Amino acid sequence: MGFLIGILILSFNTKTFDFLTLTDPTGPAIATGSGISFLGLSVMTWSMIFVYMGGVGKSAMFPFHIWLPDAMEGPTPVSALIHAATMVVAGVYLVARMFPIYALSAPAALDVVAYVGAFSSLFAAVIACTQTDIKRVLAYSTMSQIGYMMLALGVSGYGGHEGLGFMASMFHLFTHAMFKALLFLGAGAIIHAVHSNFMTDMGGLRKHLPITHITFLVACLTIAGIPPFSGFFSKDEILAAAYSHNRFLFTVEYAVAGITAFYMFRLYFNIFWGEEREYHHTPHEAPAAMTIPLIILAVGAAVSGIIPFHKLVTSDGKAFESEIEWAIAIPSVLIGLAGIATAWVLYAKKTTIPDKLAATFKYTYKWAYNKFYIDEVYLFMTKKVIFRYISAPVAWFDRHIVDGTMNTVATVTQAVSFRIRGFQSGQLQKYAFVFISGAILLFVLLIYLWV
């Protein structure tokens, strides 16, 4: 609904739905509505915030994110294609497609994009640290990585080096499609081998699933931002853009980088290392139809970072200038390695440390494990508030007032029809009686009026 409202406001003020006209930096649409204010913001800013609501829902950003983990009930190829590489990033593409309007007419809306993206990335990363369903870990990982992309757009300027965030967002969308699809398909191969989604039922699988193990490790290193894998290059560009525009958000994403490395290698060590499990049957590698795509995606995830993406995404017809910011990249890599080392200590071998930490921080752990009860808030609002105090009264009004009125009309009509049905009995004497009675009444009425 917010998306529709944004489209209506935008089209009403610009008199067009055409993308080329709307996003032309020299055209009239960019300036239209910027001088009309409502509640302290321009009409164009409000329209872009409402349009962004569509992107928030589509890309599972906070607070419209709860559908994505539940969508993981679908098959892993669907998750790999729809929930990692294509559909779920459509919100990011939406903001990128409308970016000239955001940057030139609604810069305040970009602040909303940046902060929602940053919070979503941190929020999802914390939750992913506690989940045991491997597909849900990857779902929250997707939410976190899309938060990175949104943040990059939010801290981007327009044109030249100022537009680095825009290029970085599209670059990360490109690399993320490969390594996240690889992770989901790898999860499918693992589930195929052990017939369970839960890492608590897994352990020591590196000996049984060698191809899946190596390809999954490549994906984990990529998402953790470890060079020379592609995630390092795209994430470095995002962090460089954030550092130039907003140091607070830059610090948040540094923390997210470490948390991402931790929860991904928590997943990796629990599945392929950890405690040896007694399986009902010996796990085996997936067939070629499943392992060949893993190998192809692993190669893509490993080498796609060296593609000169900055030359493919242009600003004002000019390629972006791109180089590794080592002052930012080196600490980022060290933070990622620290996250991996922490996961190694806690999960590479059987130990009681994770249980002790969970007991020490039991309330924090409980809240994160239960996804900060956002799902319960939605259920409370729908079942206890909307259903009980809005839907139930409306349903009562519909059944008793609307249906009751119609039933009453039908009952009265039926009763009257029953009473007067004799007029249409087909008996000649009754018709004659009615005719003569009517004629006498008319005659009496005429005499009365005459007198």
Side-chain angles (χ1 to χ4, degrees):
M1 186 174 70
F3 188 31
L4 176 60
I5 291 171
I7 292 173
L8 294 176
I9 296 174
L10 181 64
S11 61
F12 178 81
N13 284 280
T14 61
K15 311 303 180 187
T16 182
F17 291 102
D18 183 67
F19 271 115
L20 294 179
T21 304
L22 287 170
T23 58
D24 183 1
T26 62
I30 291 291
T32 302
S34 299
I36 307 173
S37 296
F38 178 73
L39 295 179
L41 296 175
S42 70
V43 168
M44 196 64 78
T45 298
W46 280 115
S47 68
M48 288 296 97
I49 290 174
F50 278 115
V51 166
Y52 179 56
M53 289 179 67
V56 170
K58 192 72 169 179
S59 292
M61 295 287 93
F62 180 89
F64 304 145
H65 65 279
I66 66 171
W67 66 269
L68 182 59
D70 292 334
M72 294 301 107
E73 298 298 332
T76 49
V78 174
S79 299
L81 178 65
I82 303 299
H83 300 142
T86 55
M87 184 275 286
V88 80
V89 295
V92 180
Y93 178 79
L94 169 68
V95 177
R97 188 70 175 82
M98 305 292 288
F99 191 75
I101 305 178
Y102 278 97
L104 301 177
S105 293
L110 278 184
D111 291 335
V112 177
V113 173
Y115 280 94
V116 170
F119 181 81
S120 297
S121 66
L122 179 61
F123 178 82
V126 171
I127 294 176
C129 292
T130 62
Q131 301 303 299
T132 56
D133 184 324
I134 63 175
K135 289 192 71 180
R136 284 185 178 268
V137 173
L138 297 180
Y140 283 107
S141 170
T142 299
M143 177 182 169
S144 181
Q145 294 302 304
I146 293 176
Y148 255 105
M149 301 173 204
M150 288 292 194
L151 165 82
L153 291 170
V155 299
S156 180
Y158 186 81
H161 189 69
E162 290 294 311
L164 177 62
F166 178 86
M167 186 278 292
S169 177
M170 296 297 96
F171 192 14
H172 199 59
L173 187 153
F174 176 72
T175 60
H176 174 265
M178 298 186 191
F179 65 72
K180 187 53 62 67
L182 173 58
L183 286 167
F184 272 116
L185 291 181
I190 295 163
I191 295 168
H192 175 266
V194 300
H195 303 291
S196 174
N197 282 37
F198 295 94
M199 65 176 73
T200 51
D201 298 328
M202 304 171 188
L205 287 176
R206 67 188 185 281
K207 297 180 294 185
H208 306 289
L209 311 176
I211 297 175
T212 303
H213 169 230
I214 296 300
T215 55
F216 203 89
L217 176 59
V218 168
C220 289
L221 290 169
T222 305
I223 193 174
I226 304 302
F229 301 100
S230 62
F232 163 76
F233 296 96
S234 58
K235 188 176 290 187
D236 174 68
E237 302 284 10
I238 293 176
L239 292 173
Y243 182 81
S244 300
H245 288 78
N246 191 313
R247 299 293 175 84
F248 171 74
L249 296 181
F250 166 77
T251 304
V252 170
E253 294 313 309
Y254 248 14
V256 173
I259 298 172
T260 300
F262 169 76
Y263 71 69
M264 286 309 306
F265 276 86
R266 168 182 177 264
L267 181 66
Y268 165 75
F269 288 129
N270 271 307
I271 294 172
F272 295 104
W273 296 73
E275 182 182 2
E276 295 285 342
R277 302 288 181 180
E278 291 291 334
Y279 298 102
H280 294 294
H281 62 279
T282 302
H284 57 84
E285 190 63 84
M290 298 172 70
T291 54
I292 291 176
L294 295 180
I295 296 170
I296 295 172
L297 286 170
V299 173
V303 305
S304 59
I306 63 176
I307 294 175
F309 198 83
H310 59 284
K311 295 183 179 180
L312 304 178
V313 182
T314 61
S315 173
D316 296 331
K318 299 178 181 179
F320 288 96
E321 295 181 4
S322 177
E323 60 181 18
I324 298 175
E325 300 280 352
W326 289 109
I328 296 173
I330 291 176
S332 175
V333 172
L334 293 176
I335 290 172
L337 292 174
I340 295 173
T342 304
W344 168 269
V345 172
L346 296 179
Y347 301 106
K349 296 181 180 179
K350 180 175 176 56
T351 175
T352 60
I353 298 176
D355 295 332
K356 292 179 179 178
L357 289 173
T360 302
F361 303 99
K362 62 178 180 179
Y363 293 111
T364 303
Y365 179 85
K366 182 179 179 181
W367 274 72
Y369 180 77
N370 289 288
K371 298 159 285 187
F372 295 96
Y373 298 98
I374 302 297
D375 294 49
E376 286 72 13
V377 170
Y378 272 100
L379 288 173
F380 174 81
M381 291 299 298
T382 52
K383 297 178 69 174
K384 301 297 185 181
V385 178
I386 297 176
F387 290 172
R388 177 178 296 179
Y389 296 109
I390 298 177
S391 300
V394 168
W396 182 91
F397 181 84
D398 180 65
R399 285 194 301 269
H400 294 84
I401 305 302
V402 177
D403 289 354
T405 301
M406 295 298 101
N407 292 336
T408 301
V409 170
T411 301
V412 171
T413 302
Q414 185 180 26
V416 172
S417 301
F418 185 83
R419 294 290 184 182
I420 65 174
R421 63 182 179 172
F423 291 120
Q424 299 293 331
S425 65
Q427 296 180 7
L428 184 60
Q429 61 271 29
K430 287 188 177 182
Y431 292 166
F433 172 76
V434 172
F435 179 79
I436 294 172
S437 298
I440 294 172
L441 287 173
L442 287 174
F443 179 76
V444 171
L445 181 62
L446 287 173
I447 295 298
Y448 174 77
L449 293 174
W450 179 264
V451 172

mmCIF file of all heavy atoms in Angstrom, residues 10 22 69 114 122-123 125 128 130 176 191 195 209 218 242 253 287 358 366 373 397 414 449:
data_model
loop_
_atom_site.group_PDB
_atom_site.id
_atom_site.type_symbol
_atom_site.label_atom_id
_atom_site.label_comp_id
_atom_site.label_asym_id
_atom_site.label_seq_id
_atom_site.Cartn_x
_atom_site.Cartn_y
_atom_site.Cartn_z
ATOM 1 N N LEU A 10 3.979 10.464 -6.686
ATOM 2 C CA LEU A 10 5.010 10.788 -7.668
ATOM 3 C C LEU A 10 4.396 11.117 -9.028
ATOM 4 O O LEU A 10 4.738 12.127 -9.656
ATOM 5 C CB LEU A 10 5.980 9.605 -7.799
ATOM 6 C CG LEU A 10 7.153 9.768 -8.769
ATOM 7 C CD1 LEU A 10 8.069 10.885 -8.310
ATOM 8 C CD2 LEU A 10 7.921 8.456 -8.888
ATOM 9 N N LEU A 22 11.286 10.404 -15.615
ATOM 10 C CA LEU A 22 11.390 10.605 -14.170
ATOM 11 C C LEU A 22 12.836 10.738 -13.711
ATOM 12 O O LEU A 22 13.145 11.530 -12.817
ATOM 13 C CB LEU A 22 10.721 9.449 -13.429
ATOM 14 C CG LEU A 22 9.196 9.391 -13.439
ATOM 15 C CD1 LEU A 22 8.710 8.064 -12.868
ATOM 16 C CD2 LEU A 22 8.607 10.549 -12.632
ATOM 17 N N PRO A 69 12.264 -15.751 6.260
ATOM 18 C CA PRO A 69 12.626 -17.035 6.883
ATOM 19 C C PRO A 69 11.553 -18.103 6.701
ATOM 20 O O PRO A 69 11.877 -19.284 6.506
ATOM 21 C CB PRO A 69 12.806 -16.663 8.367
ATOM 22 C CG PRO A 69 13.130 -15.209 8.354
ATOM 23 C CD PRO A 69 12.329 -14.641 7.225
ATOM 24 N N ALA A 114 19.453 4.430 4.128
ATOM 25 C CA ALA A 114 20.716 4.041 4.757
ATOM 26 C C ALA A 114 20.511 3.466 6.149
ATOM 27 O O ALA A 114 21.061 2.407 6.480
ATOM 28 C CB ALA A 114 21.651 5.258 4.819
ATOM 29 N N LEU A 122 22.442 -5.390 10.787
ATOM 30 C CA LEU A 122 22.884 -5.747 12.143
ATOM 31 C C LEU A 122 21.872 -6.643 12.829
ATOM 32 O O LEU A 122 22.222 -7.657 13.450
ATOM 33 C CB LEU A 122 23.110 -4.474 12.954
ATOM 34 C CG LEU A 122 23.546 -4.663 14.412
ATOM 35 C CD1 LEU A 122 24.873 -5.409 14.489
ATOM 36 C CD2 LEU A 122 23.641 -3.317 15.119
ATOM 37 N N PHE A 123 20.606 -6.296 12.729
ATOM 38 C CA PHE A 123 19.514 -7.048 13.352
ATOM 39 C C PHE A 123 19.513 -8.500 12.864
ATOM 40 O O PHE A 123 19.467 -9.448 13.653
ATOM 41 C CB PHE A 123 18.197 -6.342 13.012
ATOM 42 C CG PHE A 123 16.966 -7.007 13.522
ATOM 43 C CD1 PHE A 123 16.542 -6.819 14.832
ATOM 44 C CD2 PHE A 123 16.196 -7.800 12.688
ATOM 45 C CE1 PHE A 123 15.390 -7.423 15.301
ATOM 46 C CE2 PHE A 123 15.036 -8.408 13.146
ATOM 47 C CZ PHE A 123 14.636 -8.211 14.459
ATOM 48 N N ALA A 125 21.958 -10.154 11.362
ATOM 49 C CA ALA A 125 23.204 -10.848 11.683
ATOM 50 C C ALA A 125 23.182 -11.391 13.104
ATOM 51 O O ALA A 125 23.635 -12.515 13.366
ATOM 52 C CB ALA A 125 24.387 -9.902 11.494
ATOM 53 N N ALA A 128 20.945 -14.446 13.178
ATOM 54 C CA ALA A 128 21.569 -15.590 12.508
ATOM 55 C C ALA A 128 22.557 -16.320 13.403
ATOM 56 O O ALA A 128 22.787 -17.521 13.218
ATOM 57 C CB ALA A 128 22.267 -15.124 11.230
ATOM 58 N N THR A 130 22.130 -17.330 16.320
ATOM 59 C CA THR A 130 21.473 -18.224 17.279
ATOM 60 C C THR A 130 20.603 -19.286 16.620
ATOM 61 O O THR A 130 20.153 -20.208 17.312
ATOM 62 C CB THR A 130 20.589 -17.405 18.236
ATOM 63 O OG1 THR A 130 19.555 -16.750 17.476
ATOM 64 C CG2 THR A 130 21.403 -16.353 18.974
ATOM 65 N N HIS A 176 26.816 -11.260 -4.575
ATOM 66 C CA HIS A 176 25.935 -11.943 -3.630
ATOM 67 C C HIS A 176 25.084 -13.001 -4.334
ATOM 68 O O HIS A 176 24.815 -14.071 -3.769
ATOM 69 C CB HIS A 176 25.031 -10.916 -2.934
ATOM 70 C CG HIS A 176 24.000 -11.523 -2.044
ATOM 71 N ND1 HIS A 176 22.705 -11.781 -2.467
ATOM 72 C CD2 HIS A 176 24.048 -11.916 -0.749
ATOM 73 C CE1 HIS A 176 22.017 -12.304 -1.472
ATOM 74 N NE2 HIS A 176 22.805 -12.401 -0.425
ATOM 75 N N ILE A 191 21.120 -31.242 3.173
ATOM 76 C CA ILE A 191 19.820 -31.771 3.605
ATOM 77 C C ILE A 191 19.513 -33.084 2.878
ATOM 78 O O ILE A 191 18.964 -34.027 3.462
ATOM 79 C CB ILE A 191 18.716 -30.725 3.349
ATOM 80 C CG1 ILE A 191 18.947 -29.495 4.231
ATOM 81 C CG2 ILE A 191 17.337 -31.305 3.612
ATOM 82 C CD1 ILE A 191 18.094 -28.294 3.872
ATOM 83 N N HIS A 195 18.920 -35.645 5.591
ATOM 84 C CA HIS A 195 17.466 -35.583 5.768
ATOM 85 C C HIS A 195 17.058 -34.762 6.982
ATOM 86 O O HIS A 195 16.130 -35.117 7.719
ATOM 87 C CB HIS A 195 16.876 -36.997 5.869
ATOM 88 C CG HIS A 195 17.187 -37.851 4.682
ATOM 89 N ND1 HIS A 195 16.653 -37.638 3.431
ATOM 90 C CD2 HIS A 195 18.022 -38.925 4.552
ATOM 91 C CE1 HIS A 195 17.117 -38.538 2.585
ATOM 92 N NE2 HIS A 195 17.962 -39.327 3.231
ATOM 93 N N LEU A 209 31.003 -35.635 2.301
ATOM 94 C CA LEU A 209 30.570 -34.734 1.232
ATOM 95 C C LEU A 209 31.743 -33.837 0.806
ATOM 96 O O LEU A 209 31.734 -32.631 1.061
ATOM 97 C CB LEU A 209 29.394 -33.876 1.694
ATOM 98 C CG LEU A 209 28.207 -34.576 2.371
ATOM 99 C CD1 LEU A 209 27.196 -33.558 2.853
ATOM 100 C CD2 LEU A 209 27.555 -35.560 1.403
ATOM 101 N N VAL A 218 34.158 -22.245 0.209
ATOM 102 C CA VAL A 218 34.415 -21.099 -0.679
ATOM 103 C C VAL A 218 33.351 -20.028 -0.476
ATOM 104 O O VAL A 218 33.653 -18.831 -0.377
ATOM 105 C CB VAL A 218 34.444 -21.561 -2.150
ATOM 106 C CG1 VAL A 218 34.416 -20.365 -3.095
ATOM 107 C CG2 VAL A 218 35.676 -22.418 -2.412
ATOM 108 N N ALA A 242 30.651 4.100 2.785
ATOM 109 C CA ALA A 242 30.092 4.446 4.092
ATOM 110 C C ALA A 242 31.060 5.312 4.894
ATOM 111 O O ALA A 242 30.655 6.256 5.582
ATOM 112 C CB ALA A 242 29.751 3.172 4.869
ATOM 113 N N GLU A 253 28.650 -1.301 10.141
ATOM 114 C CA GLU A 253 28.919 -2.327 9.135
ATOM 115 C C GLU A 253 30.243 -3.051 9.382
ATOM 116 O O GLU A 253 30.396 -4.212 8.988
ATOM 117 C CB GLU A 253 28.911 -1.696 7.739
ATOM 118 C CG GLU A 253 27.552 -1.174 7.326
ATOM 119 C CD GLU A 253 26.433 -2.162 7.587
ATOM 120 O OE1 GLU A 253 26.550 -3.339 7.179
ATOM 121 O OE2 GLU A 253 25.434 -1.775 8.208
ATOM 122 N N PRO A 287 24.239 -36.276 -6.265
ATOM 123 C CA PRO A 287 24.538 -36.644 -7.660
ATOM 124 C C PRO A 287 25.057 -35.462 -8.461
ATOM 125 O O PRO A 287 24.997 -34.306 -8.026
ATOM 126 C CB PRO A 287 23.179 -37.139 -8.183
ATOM 127 C CG PRO A 287 22.162 -36.527 -7.280
ATOM 128 C CD PRO A 287 22.819 -36.435 -5.943
ATOM 129 N N ALA A 358 25.713 -19.130 26.359
ATOM 130 C CA ALA A 358 24.262 -18.970 26.245
ATOM 131 C C ALA A 358 23.609 -18.844 27.615
ATOM 132 O O ALA A 358 22.657 -18.082 27.811
ATOM 133 C CB ALA A 358 23.664 -20.144 25.470
ATOM 134 N N LYS A 366 18.154 -15.625 24.444
ATOM 135 C CA LYS A 366 16.743 -16.000 24.265
ATOM 136 C C LYS A 366 16.041 -15.040 23.318
ATOM 137 O O LYS A 366 15.281 -15.450 22.438
ATOM 138 C CB LYS A 366 16.045 -16.027 25.619
ATOM 139 C CG LYS A 366 14.587 -16.457 25.556
ATOM 140 C CD LYS A 366 13.959 -16.480 26.943
ATOM 141 C CE LYS A 366 12.492 -16.877 26.869
ATOM 142 N NZ LYS A 366 11.856 -16.874 28.226
ATOM 143 N N TYR A 373 11.162 -11.503 19.032
ATOM 144 C CA TYR A 373 9.704 -11.598 19.187
ATOM 145 C C TYR A 373 8.940 -10.704 18.203
ATOM 146 O O TYR A 373 7.793 -10.346 18.453
ATOM 147 C CB TYR A 373 9.290 -11.269 20.627
ATOM 148 C CG TYR A 373 9.861 -12.232 21.635
ATOM 149 C CD1 TYR A 373 11.018 -11.921 22.353
ATOM 150 C CD2 TYR A 373 9.283 -13.478 21.856
ATOM 151 C CE1 TYR A 373 11.566 -12.819 23.272
ATOM 152 C CE2 TYR A 373 9.825 -14.383 22.764
ATOM 153 C CZ TYR A 373 10.957 -14.044 23.464
ATOM 154 O OH TYR A 373 11.498 -14.935 24.380
ATOM 155 N N PHE A 397 -21.349 -7.548 12.360
ATOM 156 C CA PHE A 397 -22.211 -6.587 11.650
ATOM 157 C C PHE A 397 -22.677 -7.190 10.324
ATOM 158 O O PHE A 397 -23.849 -7.049 9.946
ATOM 159 C CB PHE A 397 -21.443 -5.290 11.402
ATOM 160 C CG PHE A 397 -22.240 -4.225 10.714
ATOM 161 C CD1 PHE A 397 -23.069 -3.378 11.449
ATOM 162 C CD2 PHE A 397 -22.177 -4.073 9.330
ATOM 163 C CE1 PHE A 397 -23.819 -2.402 10.812
ATOM 164 C CE2 PHE A 397 -22.923 -3.104 8.697
ATOM 165 C CZ PHE A 397 -23.750 -2.265 9.434
ATOM 166 N N GLN A 414 -41.927 -12.792 1.495
ATOM 167 C CA GLN A 414 -42.539 -14.111 1.426
ATOM 168 C C GLN A 414 -43.897 -14.127 2.118
ATOM 169 O O GLN A 414 -44.868 -14.705 1.613
ATOM 170 C CB GLN A 414 -41.609 -15.147 2.058
ATOM 171 C CG GLN A 414 -42.102 -16.585 1.930
ATOM 172 C CD GLN A 414 -41.139 -17.577 2.567
ATOM 173 O OE1 GLN A 414 -40.407 -17.209 3.477
ATOM 174 N NE2 GLN A 414 -41.152 -18.807 2.099
ATOM 175 N N LEU A 449 -66.324 12.032 -4.172
ATOM 176 C CA LEU A 449 -65.627 13.235 -4.659
ATOM 177 C C LEU A 449 -66.609 14.221 -5.329
ATOM 178 O O LEU A 449 -66.464 15.435 -5.235
ATOM 179 C CB LEU A 449 -64.522 12.850 -5.624
ATOM 180 C CG LEU A 449 -63.332 12.062 -5.022
ATOM 181 C CD1 LEU A 449 -62.373 11.623 -6.110
ATOM 182 C CD2 LEU A 449 -62.608 12.917 -3.976
#
